[in-house]
Amino acid sequence: MSEDTKPARPGGASPDTAEAPSAPGTTAKAPTGRRIPLPKPSSVLLSLCSAALGLLVWIGLTKSGIEDLPGPWAVAKRGAELVEDGTLFDDMGASLRRVLTGYLLGVALAIPVGFAMGWYPIVRRLIDPWIQFFRMVPPLAIIPLAILTMGIDEKPKVFVIFLAAFLSSVVSTYQGVVSVDSTLVNAARVLGAKDRQVFIGVVVPASTPFILVGMRIGLGASWATVVAAELIAAQSGLGFRMQQAQLYYDLPTIFVQLIAIGAIGLVMDRLLLLAERRLTGWQERR
Amino acid sequence: MSEDTKPARPGGASPDTAEAPSAPGTTAKAPTGRRIPLPKPSSVLLSLCSAALGLLVWIGLTKSGIEDLPGPWAVAKRGAELVEDGTLFDDMGASLRRVLTGYLLGVALAIPVGFAMGWYPIVRRLIDPWIQFFRMVPPLAIIPLAILTMGIDEKPKVFVIFLAAFLSSVVSTYQGVVSVDSTLVNAARVLGAKDRQVFIGVVVPASTPFILVGMRIGLGASWATVVAAELIAAQSGLGFRMQQAQLYYDLPTIFVQLIAIGAIGLVMDRLLLLAERRLTGWQERR
Amino acid sequence: GDDDSSSGDRKVTFGYIGDYSGSAALAVAAKQDLWSKQGLKPDLKVFTNGPLQVQALGTKNLDFGYLGPGALWLPATGKAKIVSVNMLGQADRVIARPGSGIAKPADLKGKKIAVPAGTSGDMILNLALRETGLKPSDVSVVPMDPSTVVTAFGSGSVDAAAIWYPLIDNIKKRVPDLVEVTRTEDFYPRLTFPNVFVTQPELAAKDPELVRKVTAVLRAANDWIVANPTESEKITAAFLKLPAAQLAGSTKYVKLLPSAELTKLTQDGTVNGWFDNLADIFVQMDKMPKRDAAKDYYLGDLYAGAGGVPKQ
Amino acid sequence: MPTISFTEVSRDFALKTGEFHALDRVSLDIHDGEFITVVGPSGCGKSTLMNIAAGLLDATGGTVTVDGEPVHGPSPERGVIFQQYALFPWMTVRKNVEFGLRIAGVGRRERAKTALRIIDLVGLGDFADALPKTLSGGMKQRCAIARAYAVDPKVLLMDEPFGALDALTRVQMQDSLLETWNRDRRTVMFITHDVDEAVYLANRVVVMAARPGRIHRVIPVDLPYPRTEKMRLSAEFADLRREVWNAVYHQPASSERTTP
Amino acid sequence: MPTISFTEVSRDFALKTGEFHALDRVSLDIHDGEFITVVGPSGCGKSTLMNIAAGLLDATGGTVTVDGEPVHGPSPERGVIFQQYALFPWMTVRKNVEFGLRIAGVGRRERAKTALRIIDLVGLGDFADALPKTLSGGMKQRCAIARAYAVDPKVLLMDEPFGALDALTRVQMQDSLLETWNRDRRTVMFITHDVDEAVYLANRVVVMAARPGRIHRVIPVDLPYPRTEKMRLSAEFADLRREVWNAVYHQPASSERTTP
Ligand SMILES: Nc1ncnc2c1ncn2[C@@H]1O[C@H](COP(=O)(O)OP(=O)(O)OP(=O)(O)O)[C@@H](O)[C@H]1O
Ligand SMILES: Nc1ncnc2c1ncn2[C@@H]1O[C@H](COP(=O)(O)OP(=O)(O)OP(=O)(O)O)[C@@H](O)[C@H]1O
Ligand SMILES: [Mg+2]
Ligand SMILES: [Mg+2]
């Protein structure tokens, strides 16, 4: 008796993972054909390098004689001022609230709509052209419409962000549903699962990776729309402050807001990435 | 002798396609469990239905008492005027030129950068945070910078569009490269292919589907940025005209530009979809 | 300072623009607690331009708003009513780069001029051209965003620009010896660029008492500013959360008129004349097909009447 | 009364080049408690036939009844084991096996008990909480079998279930399948490439032919159950093996047109 | 001089639970022109051993030489046929087969000629311009074989190449492989699950054992070439079959720790 046929024995627990047996471990090698792997620099170090690289490019641009372009120092000084008088955090709070609300609503709607589009071809063919159509329409063009229908409070601002998040994540969601392996659906059906159970038990978990990619795309779209949204009678917010700084051609302030938006967005993106890793750990990866 | 082992015989040519033999043909059934498939409505009919649906929603909104919201009729009239005096086609031409230039440049850069990021993990880890960072930054915020560095001619306008296209399609491209089946890479290497040949012969074609999805996403981003781009000293263009109409609160004109942008974008998207079908016909599909 | 006012106060939504002339009256009114004296509770909304406010007036999301001179065609086409004149803008200039050979408006012929479309800058350029008998087609007008003008002019992409202070201060940092070809004052008093407060077209008829009360607040604020111009700059900067330096000197570029004088000018028809003159320019600029008469959209009587209300 | 009854079952696929007859008037009765194995050249319609019985595919002609009832869609009465495992990758082995029971509304405690018993039966006891991606091919296959067993179907439809297993595990799984079948005698329809396996397991071996897909011969296996390792080496077994082999290997030339 | 020489080759994988010894000091010499088959329980390291010889995986201990040269990365000298076909899905059969020739810089006309000859050899003549997705499993496998043949490698490394084929096609492919090998006698290392196949093809059958992966026995097959259908039914063949079977099936219990 070989122990292989009795994998229940102690010590045989984890190693039986070779899914692609003809090339196990090749992924450990860089595809460049290098045979001795370089010592892998730590991820923190690389992040620092990346940040330093960006800073260097910036300083380079400043020095290269582009007039008016504020350097890191000027921007940091202005940033400190804005932190001191509290506006920066107020603005962050205001924008974050809007973006989160719009984004979460957008994703919350995108998921059922994406599922419906993926599940019922008729729905897909009726709605898809409109989704693609509105994906092309600039958020700036939506503003008059949003004011007409929703006034000038938080609603239209959140709506503009919501729309951006919705449009960009719905596509990914329905592509996820369309690409669910039909064998899995069949496997559930032969076990007696009805439509609803197939949907909840198979389609939803199987499309989670796509939904999460869609959520990341939607996040970018939401933040990229915040300036447009805050054109509508905003009292505070990073986008509003940026607009105001443009009135006075105050480039350091613009840079502070720009960096704040990028940084918050980046942090949120990394959080989503973490969630993705966690929720889709069951996937086989390269 | 069964003819199966001699598939070279006449008549045995095409049917040997059962890739998933345990569920052949199941895709022909709607996943809803309906057993008798509905007669499939023609795609033209569905497109018409979809258009009619949109029109109905619009008319409904107009009638529902939202003041100032122009109805289809008013917009069509204004559209006819703009066609007659030639501005609409001039604007279309101007915007199309900008979008196409920026978009093509963006995609043209995104593909090599995406490849580099996918191929060399170091490059990915250095550049990825910046890509994600700039994905969050609103195009409106880029304008002062673009002007500082590039003046006010076509360059900065094209640049803003270029950036939008680049940022959204680079992500898809490198995800495509990362997900190239390592078995295929190995297959090429054992046939003697060196890095360059593996890259051109395997990585590029294998990631084509992803690149094309990225190109579609980038197209949406390009058109959605055209208004922001044409804030920069534009003489004509759909986005410029829309801005001007916003200044004068001329909603029918805004709608005409909005529909023009959406329609051109939709047509371009469908063309890309066609290209995708054509270039990735080798893929197995549900 | 409206938060501590009694809960019975009438709520008024008021739009404004975040620059000195667009905010000063409201900043002072808030600081001096002028609103509660009229039993009003303001809800202030900041906008980036006039047309958006007019749109919000149309959808009843705003009761009052602020318009710069460039947006005065909106009331002139019946989309809003003017309740009061705020200040007379004198910040607009046509400027030219040194060495462009432009010293007077006539030299603009054939030159490349940056203009923020639909603003007072657009208008002063039109006036300057008309004065010298040039047609818009005789020059090459490049429409662009105000902040774009700064860069475009600074980098020499254009020969001239029609723009205003304080943006010109920014330009001066890079082009200290720029030439001021025309200034707003050149046209005063024949023509001036008033910025105004407006309201919904129906509100004046439906609730004249409210309009009168608001006008009273604005008058009081205006008179305070006239008395304390420098102080008002500081209050406004604080109100807008801007560095005080950014607004210092703003009053140099506006003409402040005491409300008594404005009342006089209203009653003798001068103010209506300003509006009609501007409206004619708009018609000539093809901004609108035809104009209403100023008396139809400037609520001069209400303005004059608001002065008679005793302060409580 | 036969449990599964195919009567003149045909299935055509529309191709660009015309209709393709994957199955041409196939008639076959599978009796209650019978173990049928199906062999035949690749592409002869074995999977198509099984999918029709499972209710995953419609016949374009003829009728299929299970227990006298015409087949309309899949049912937990007919357990299916797919060639590609089709495990739910986001569920552990235990969750996979419990899936059908949860659908059937079995209570939590009961569910866990049944699942663990069956997981032990297929020798995956220590892997109850492992995700499919950490299992080897053979273990995945055993998990799929456990999942089908769990809902205790009256009929088992198995499409080359042991194709991915090495000779060793394969023999083990064959014996354990027969052992279970011996106990409860459910009806089994078992598709295989392996002539040895077909003979070792079956009451009757159905040999199919291709183009058009049809039944070529049905060979009864008169060996007693339980079958043993020794039986495999017997002369009788060798004879049967040769008979099936010849039936598959030396099929008469058929009409070669896709549209006969 | 042996063509492929494994000397004390070890391969460990780092796992969360510690080191896992996939191969433990494996030594094996494969001679020039020899046909070696490798059998053993699933997970005993067959694929790992082959991947090391192919240069796709590094050994963590010991050395592998091919023609006396230590292996550093893959080379067209060593043709590999992967278990999952690994055809380039965007290329037609012809393009797939031509790929290696193009890499080697063979001219267009020459390339087409060679490719077509080999495609005919594996019986895909009419499918030269078909895309992989339109091929059945067996046809895909034959295409992969043709692709490896085309570059005329000195050594062929085949990982369960016939696993997906039905009995019929399988026998055909075995015979055609032997026929080719008989002609040019290249060195072949052939992994299989099938004891029958292992005996039918090999000069020597290498039986591996698991945990840790190692060589258990090497059984020489003293049947003459060419091998025939009749030989398969001979007593001598049956004896060898039983010997290999027993070697795989009745392996001595090994140390069961993953970290011995
Ligand atoms: N969806 C389909 N469209 C067209 N032809 C199909 C389809 N499904 C199956 N076929 C064809 O029907 C025939 C029978 O297919 P089936 O999968 O039943 O074969 P099989 O006997 O199971 O073969 P294998 O042994 O390879 O699994 C094949 O020739 C196949 O090409
Ligand atoms: N990348 C890897 N990481 C961890 N363990 C691995 C890896 N690759 C292979 N193994 C382990 O090494 C052992 C040998 O794997 P290998 O693929 O060589 O087995 P095999 O003999 O080819 O099995 P099979 O017959 O299933 O193909 C297995 O137990 C497997 O779990
Ligand atoms: Mg099959
Ligand atoms: Mg293997």
Side-chain angles (χ1 to χ4, degrees):
Chain A
M1 271 289 205
S2 151
E3 62 276 44
D4 185 77
T5 57
K6 291 230 178 216
R9 291 191 190 178
S14 36
D16 301 60
T17 53
E19 164 69 355
S22 59
T26 35
T27 53
K29 280 168 93 169
T32 46
R34 253 185 265 109
R35 287 188 48 93
I36 299 121
L38 290 173
K40 197 171 139 197
S42 86
S43 124
V44 174
L45 195 75
L46 267 174
S47 297
L48 285 178
C49 279
S50 178
L53 196 85
L55 216 62
L56 277 178
V57 170
W58 184 4
I59 292 174
L61 278 177
T62 318
K63 296 262 176 256
S64 76
I66 299 171
E67 276 177 89
D68 287 358
L69 185 72
W73 182 239
V75 172
K77 234 178 57 191
R78 182 73 186 117
E81 281 168 36
L82 286 173
V83 168
E84 228 162 87
D85 69 7
T87 39
L88 188 60
F89 290 119
D90 285 357
D91 288 342
M92 276 186 180
S95 289
L96 200 59
R97 207 163 39 242
R98 278 172 203 136
V99 168
L100 273 183
T101 318
Y103 172 64
L104 291 179
L105 288 175
V107 168
L109 183 66
I111 290 174
V113 171
F115 276 125
M117 287 173 70
W119 197 241
Y120 303 105
I122 290 273
V123 176
R124 172 159 72 254
R125 305 191 73 171
L126 283 179
I127 298 185
D128 182 55
W130 288 104
I131 301 254
Q132 303 300 342
F133 180 95
F134 281 108
R135 243 173 19 95
M136 309 287 162
V137 171
L140 280 175
I142 300 291
I143 291 177
L145 273 162
I147 294 180
L148 268 186
T149 45
M150 273 166 287
I152 53 161
D153 296 328
E154 286 298 292
K155 247 196 286 170
K157 304 183 191 69
V158 169
F159 176 77
V160 170
I161 294 169
F162 153 85
L163 201 67
F166 170 76
L167 288 173
S168 36
S169 47
V170 73
V171 177
S172 195
T173 305
Y174 89 66
Q175 280 184 342
V177 175
V178 168
S179 61
V180 169
D181 188 351
S182 57
T183 322
L184 292 183
V185 173
N186 282 337
R189 289 173 68 216
V190 298
L191 288 166
K194 297 282 159 258
D195 270 16
R196 208 179 55 83
Q197 292 157 326
V198 169
F199 188 76
I200 293 171
V202 178
V203 176
V204 172
S207 34
T208 309
F210 285 84
I211 294 174
L212 285 164
V213 167
M215 283 177 72
R216 287 184 64 200
I217 297 178
L219 184 68
S222 298
W223 275 109
T225 321
V226 79
V227 170
E230 291 180 354
L231 281 177
I232 311 169
Q235 306 296 319
S236 60
L238 297 168
F240 160 72
R241 199 70 56 197
M242 199 186 277
Q243 280 292 316
Q244 218 189 20
Q246 258 182 43
L247 275 184
Y248 295 99
Y249 199 69
D250 176 5
L251 288 174
T253 306
I254 296 182
F255 268 69
V256 171
Q257 318 301 332
L258 200 146
I259 292 171
I261 289 179
I264 301 181
L266 190 60
V267 168
M268 285 172 70
D269 184 71
R270 296 290 123 155
L271 288 178
L272 270 181
L273 203 64
L274 270 184
E276 186 182 332
R277 294 261 156 79
R278 213 153 242 275
L279 283 173
T280 62
W282 47 266
Q283 278 194 305
E284 323 234 12
R285 283 175 204 285
R286 270 234 297 177
Chain B
M1 271 290 200
S2 151
E3 65 273 43
D4 185 78
T5 55
K6 291 232 177 209
R9 291 192 193 179
S14 34
D16 301 58
T17 55
E19 164 67 358
S22 58
T26 35
T27 52
K29 281 168 93 169
T32 47
R34 253 185 265 110
R35 288 188 47 92
I36 298 121
L38 289 173
K40 198 171 140 199
S42 86
S43 127
V44 174
L45 195 75
L46 267 173
S47 299
L48 285 178
C49 278
S50 179
L53 197 85
L55 217 61
L56 276 177
V57 171
W58 183 4
I59 291 174
L61 279 177
T62 316
K63 296 264 176 253
S64 76
I66 300 170
E67 273 179 272
D68 287 356
L69 185 72
W73 181 239
V75 173
K77 236 177 57 190
R78 183 74 188 118
E81 282 167 35
L82 286 172
V83 168
E84 229 162 88
D85 69 6
T87 40
L88 189 60
F89 290 118
D90 286 357
D91 288 342
M92 277 186 178
S95 289
L96 200 60
R97 206 164 40 242
R98 279 173 202 135
V99 168
L100 273 183
T101 318
Y103 172 64
L104 291 179
L105 287 175
V107 168
L109 183 66
I111 290 174
V113 171
F115 276 125
M117 287 172 71
W119 198 242
Y120 304 105
I122 291 272
V123 175
R124 172 159 73 254
R125 305 190 74 169
L126 282 180
I127 298 186
D128 182 57
W130 289 104
I131 301 257
Q132 303 300 341
F133 180 95
F134 280 108
R135 246 178 10 102
M136 309 287 163
V137 171
L140 279 176
I142 300 292
I143 291 178
L145 272 162
I147 298 171
L148 271 183
T149 46
M150 272 165 288
I152 52 159
D153 297 328
E154 286 299 293
K155 248 198 282 171
K157 305 183 191 70
V158 169
F159 176 77
V160 170
I161 294 170
F162 153 86
L163 201 67
F166 170 77
L167 289 173
S168 34
S169 47
V170 74
V171 176
S172 195
T173 304
Y174 88 67
Q175 279 183 342
V177 175
V178 168
S179 61
V180 169
D181 188 352
S182 58
T183 322
L184 292 182
V185 173
N186 282 338
R189 289 174 65 217
V190 298
L191 288 166
K194 296 284 159 257
D195 271 15
R196 207 180 56 82
Q197 292 156 327
V198 169
F199 187 77
I200 293 171
V202 178
V203 176
V204 173
S207 35
T208 309
F210 285 84
I211 294 174
L212 284 165
V213 168
M215 283 177 72
R216 288 184 64 199
I217 297 176
L219 184 68
S222 299
W223 275 109
T225 321
V226 79
V227 170
E230 290 181 355
L231 281 176
I232 312 169
Q235 309 287 341
S236 60
L238 295 169
F240 161 72
R241 199 71 56 196
M242 198 188 277
Q243 279 294 315
Q244 235 187 9
Q246 251 180 49
L247 230 40
Y248 299 111
Y249 194 59
D250 177 3
L251 287 174
T253 305
I254 295 181
F255 267 70
V256 171
Q257 317 300 331
L258 201 146
I259 291 172
I261 289 179
I264 301 181
L266 190 59
V267 167
M268 284 170 72
D269 183 71
R270 296 291 122 154
L271 288 178
L272 270 179
L273 203 64
L274 268 183
E276 186 182 334
R277 294 263 155 79
R278 213 152 242 277
L279 282 173
T280 63
W282 48 266
Q283 278 193 304
E284 323 233 12
R285 282 175 205 284
R286 273 233 296 175
Chain C
D2 53 271
D3 293 334
D4 47 355
S5 60
S6 71
S7 57
D9 287 352
R10 168 81 154 85
K11 201 176 132 201
V12 179
T13 43
F14 211 120
Y16 67 101
I17 294 180
D19 58 14
Y20 174 75
S21 11
S23 318
L26 298 174
V28 167
K31 180 87 175 176
Q32 304 297 321
D33 202 18
L34 301 174
W35 292 101
S36 57
K37 289 188 188 126
Q38 298 291 343
L40 297 177
K41 185 175 152 69
D43 180 10
L44 303 181
K45 310 265 183 201
V46 64
F47 282 80
T48 49
N49 62 35
L52 271 184
Q53 289 178 76
V54 172
Q55 203 186 333
L57 290 175
T59 56
K60 312 279 184 288
N61 290 108
L62 272 189
D63 299 324
F64 295 87
Y66 163 87
L67 296 184
L72 282 176
W73 61 274
L74 281 160
T77 48
K79 296 216 159 60
K81 296 238 190 279
I82 298 171
V83 296
S84 83
V85 171
N86 180 36
M87 300 167 182
L88 303 183
Q90 303 198 316
D92 301 280
R93 304 285 184 273
V94 174
I95 54 173
R97 286 184 63 84
S100 64
I102 305 173
K104 53 186 191 307
D107 301 334
L108 289 170
K109 191 173 160 85
K111 301 292 189 199
K112 203 168 168 189
I113 309 165
V115 180
T119 63
S120 49
D122 200 353
M123 294 176 64
I124 193 171
L125 177 66
N126 262 277
L127 278 174
L129 292 177
R130 193 158 309 126
E131 296 267 301
T132 56
L134 288 171
K135 287 192 296 294
S137 56
D138 291 334
V139 296
S140 156
V141 169
V142 190
M144 60 182 78
D145 215 39
S147 58
T148 310
V149 173
V150 177
T151 344
F153 190 92
S155 64
S157 312
V158 292
D159 306 309
I163 191 77
W164 52 84
Y165 284 95
L167 288 180
I168 296 175
D169 286 328
N170 277 310
I171 298 178
K172 274 187 173 159
K173 282 182 210 147
R174 290 172 64 185
V175 192
D177 44 355
L178 58 81
V179 185
E180 290 193 1
V181 182
T182 315
R183 52 186 68 217
T184 328
E185 296 95 308
D186 295 348
F187 303 96
Y188 189 78
R190 274 176 296 140
L191 191 70
T192 191
F193 288 164
N195 48 59
V196 301
F197 292 106
V198 292
T199 186
Q200 298 168 10
E202 311 82 25
L203 196 65
K206 248 174 40 203
D207 195 351
E209 182 55 20
L210 175 69
V211 176
R212 199 190 48 73
K213 281 182 178 169
V214 170
T215 311
V217 172
L218 295 171
R219 287 178 68 120
N222 182 52
D223 289 338
W224 194 91
I225 294 169
V226 171
N228 316 281
T230 322
E231 190 68 9
S232 78
E233 287 168 2
K234 293 193 188 110
I235 291 177
T236 308
F239 176 78
L240 292 174
K241 297 202 178 108
L242 291 172
Q246 211 157 57
L247 293 190
S250 295
T251 41
K252 269 195 301 188
Y253 304 113
V254 288
K255 189 168 177 61
L256 300 167
L257 296 174
S259 56
E261 187 175 348
L262 267 173
T263 308
K264 203 175 101 248
L265 293 172
T266 298
Q267 282 162 344
D268 71 10
T270 311
V271 175
N272 277 345
W274 293 340
F275 291 135
D276 281 339
N277 275 337
L278 285 172
D280 287 335
I281 297 171
F282 286 125
V283 172
Q284 284 158 19
M285 284 168 73
D286 272 344
K287 294 274 147 88
M288 57 188 196
K290 61 177 181 10
R291 64 171 177 89
D292 296 351
K295 60 179 168 38
D296 295 337
Y297 59 86
Y298 174 46
L299 307 174
D301 295 344
L302 265 172
Y303 182 81
V309 175
K311 301 221 169 98
Q312 289 159 354
Chain D
M1 193 182 68
T3 299
I4 310 177
S5 172
F6 298 93
T7 317
E8 300 262 305
V9 169
S10 298
R11 170 73 210 202
D12 301 337
F13 287 109
L15 293 177
K16 282 194 207 108
T17 50
E19 288 282 280
F20 177 75
H21 300 273
L23 288 178
D24 187 29
R25 280 162 291 139
V26 170
S27 295
L28 176 69
D29 284 350
I30 304 177
H31 302 292
D32 195 27
E34 199 179 16
F35 200 125
I36 285 283
T37 56
V38 182
V39 291
S42 172
C44 70
K46 304 182 290 291
S47 298
T48 306
L49 192 66
M50 203 198 82
N51 278 306
I52 290 173
L56 293 170
L57 191 65
D58 293 323
T60 44
T63 54
V64 187
T65 60
V66 171
D67 280 332
E69 294 283 310
V71 170
H72 284 305
S75 137
E77 288 287 272
R78 275 162 279 136
V80 179
I81 294 166
F82 296 93
Q83 200 169 351
Q84 320 96 304
Y85 326 133
L87 296 179
F88 303 121
W90 54 89
M91 296 184 188
T92 60
V93 168
R94 187 207 306 269
K95 287 273 162 58
N96 262 287
V97 175
E98 283 184 7
F99 184 84
L101 297 169
R102 218 171 57 223
I103 296 289
V106 177
R108 170 190 259 290
R109 177 131 354 127
E110 179 72 21
R111 217 156 67 200
K113 227 182 72 194
T114 313
L116 282 182
R117 184 173 51 76
I118 292 167
I119 290 169
D120 267 337
L121 195 78
V122 297
L124 287 178
D126 278 7
F127 294 87
D129 294 315
L131 282 172
K133 71 166 180 180
T134 69
L135 301 180
S136 80
M139 289 154 80
K140 278 184 193 157
Q141 194 56 273
R142 280 177 276 164
C143 178
I145 291 167
R147 188 176 62 179
Y149 281 8
V151 290
D152 198 24
K154 262 184 63 72
V155 174
L156 266 178
L157 305 170
M158 307 172 85
D159 196 355
E160 303 184 26
F162 302 154
L165 305 185
D166 65 290
L168 204 59
T169 318
R170 192 166 187 146
V171 167
Q172 268 221 333
M173 290 304 299
Q174 286 169 2
D175 285 340
S176 117
L177 172 62
L178 277 185
E179 201 187 313
T180 329
W181 176 78
N182 242 330
R183 256 189 280 115
D184 47 25
R185 293 275 166 170
R186 56 188 107 214
T187 313
V188 179
M189 179 177 171
F190 185 107
I191 297 175
T192 177
H193 275 147
D194 190 298
V195 172
D196 224 84
E197 184 170 80
V199 173
Y200 187 69
L201 295 174
N203 286 122
R204 289 187 294 162
V205 179
V206 175
V207 180
M208 290 184 67
R211 286 195 193 119
R214 62 195 187 280
I215 292 180
H216 172 51
R217 278 188 62 188
V218 178
I219 299 170
V221 178
D222 287 329
L223 299 171
Y225 289 96
R227 308 239 162 118
T228 60
E229 207 44 34
K230 224 162 262 154
M231 231 180 249
R232 235 189 248 272
L233 306 171
S234 71
E236 225 178 327
F237 189 90
D239 285 346
L240 277 163
R241 216 177 134 266
R242 201 168 311 131
E243 191 179 347
V244 173
W245 184 271
N246 286 334
V248 179
Y249 204 29
H250 302 294
Q251 284 181 359
S254 64
S255 78
E256 279 165 25
R257 312 298 318 154
T258 54
T259 10
Chain E
M1 192 182 70
T3 299
I4 311 178
S5 173
F6 299 93
T7 316
E8 301 261 301
V9 169
S10 298
R11 170 73 210 203
D12 301 337
F13 288 109
L15 292 178
K16 283 193 205 109
T17 51
E19 288 281 282
F20 177 75
H21 299 273
L23 289 178
D24 186 30
R25 281 163 288 140
V26 170
S27 294
L28 176 69
D29 284 348
I30 304 176
H31 302 290
D32 194 26
E34 199 179 14
F35 200 125
I36 286 282
T37 56
V38 182
V39 291
S42 173
C44 69
K46 303 183 291 292
S47 299
T48 306
L49 192 66
M50 200 198 84
N51 278 305
I52 290 172
L56 293 170
L57 192 66
D58 291 324
T60 45
T63 52
V64 188
T65 59
V66 171
D67 280 333
E69 293 284 310
V71 170
H72 285 306
S75 135
E77 289 285 272
R78 276 161 279 135
V80 179
I81 293 166
F82 296 93
Q83 199 168 352
Q84 322 94 304
Y85 327 133
L87 295 179
F88 303 121
W90 54 90
M91 295 182 188
T92 61
V93 168
R94 186 207 306 269
K95 289 272 163 60
N96 262 288
V97 175
E98 283 185 6
F99 184 85
L101 297 169
R102 219 170 58 222
I103 296 290
V106 177
R108 169 192 262 287
R109 179 132 351 131
E110 180 72 20
R111 219 155 67 200
K113 226 182 71 195
T114 314
L116 281 182
R117 185 174 50 76
I118 292 166
I119 290 169
D120 267 337
L121 196 77
V122 298
L124 287 178
D126 278 9
F127 294 86
D129 294 316
L131 284 172
K133 71 166 179 179
T134 68
L135 302 179
S136 81
M139 289 153 79
K140 279 183 192 156
Q141 193 55 274
R142 280 177 276 165
C143 178
I145 292 168
R147 188 176 60 180
Y149 282 9
V151 291
D152 198 24
K154 263 186 60 76
V155 174
L156 265 179
L157 305 170
M158 307 171 88
D159 195 355
E160 303 184 27
F162 303 154
L165 304 186
D166 65 290
L168 204 58
T169 318
R170 192 165 188 146
V171 168
Q172 268 220 333
M173 290 304 299
Q174 287 169 0
D175 285 339
S176 117
L177 173 62
L178 278 186
E179 200 188 314
T180 329
W181 176 77
N182 243 331
R183 256 188 281 119
D184 46 26
R185 294 274 165 169
R186 56 188 107 213
T187 313
V188 180
M189 180 177 174
F190 185 107
I191 298 176
T192 177
H193 276 147
D194 190 297
V195 172
D196 224 84
E197 185 171 80
V199 174
Y200 188 68
L201 295 174
N203 285 121
R204 287 189 296 163
V205 179
V206 175
V207 180
M208 290 186 67
R211 287 195 191 118
R214 62 199 188 280
I215 290 178
H216 172 52
R217 278 189 62 189
V218 178
I219 299 170
V221 178
D222 286 329
L223 299 171
Y225 290 96
R227 308 237 163 118
T228 59
E229 205 46 31
K230 225 162 261 154
M231 234 177 245
R232 233 189 249 273
L233 306 171
S234 71
E236 225 178 328
F237 189 90
D239 286 345
L240 279 162
R241 219 177 132 266
R242 200 167 310 130
E243 189 177 350
V244 173
W245 184 270
N246 286 335
V248 179
Y249 204 28
H250 303 292
Q251 285 181 359
S254 66
S255 77
E256 280 165 28
R257 311 298 319 149
T258 54
T259 9

